[in-house]
Amino acid sequence: MQIFTCPFCGPREETEFHFAAEAGKHRPEPAEEISDADWADYLYLNDAPKGAAREVWVHATCGEFFVMTRDTVTREITNVTALPGRDG
Ligand SMILES: [Zn+2]
């Protein structure tokens, strides 16, 4: 069992967390003019890098979203921060 650290609650078991999105992914605008294929890519395709990745996760217990930087190979977590604009 891996331990993740919620920036608001502290260390917790990984089963309390859910992946939400890649960090830094931008919604294509204007959305009304985006093709169905490009919209589907935006919604469902992720880079899934081998190695360092910045991802948005949610802690289900407190409901807060945050950015976690982790290595997808070694599972090492190198940074956890609240989303910008959240002073938590
Ligand atoms: Zn939390």
Side-chain angles (χ1 to χ4, degrees):
M1 176 74 59
Q2 189 169 12
I3 300 297
F4 291 170
T5 300
C6 171
F8 309 98
C9 305
R12 299 287 194 275
E13 293 184 357
E14 65 182 288
T15 55
E16 294 186 20
F17 298 84
H18 299 284
F19 173 83
E22 289 179 334
K25 195 170 184 179
H26 297 284
R27 176 187 166 110
E29 297 288 350
E32 301 81 19
E33 298 177 13
I34 304 301
S35 71
D36 289 349
D38 287 345
W39 189 251
D41 287 352
Y42 163 68
L43 291 177
Y44 301 112
L45 291 183
N46 294 314
D47 284 343
K50 182 177 181 181
R54 288 186 70 240
E55 302 166 326
V56 178
W57 285 72
V58 61
H59 184 202
T61 304
C62 71
E64 294 286 352
F65 289 80
F66 60 95
V67 176
M68 179 162 49
T69 304
R70 67 185 183 102
D71 189 304
T72 60
V73 177
T74 65
R75 300 174 59 172
E76 178 186 11
I77 298 168
T78 55
N79 193 31
V80 177
T81 59
L83 289 174
R86 175 70 163 88
D87 53 18

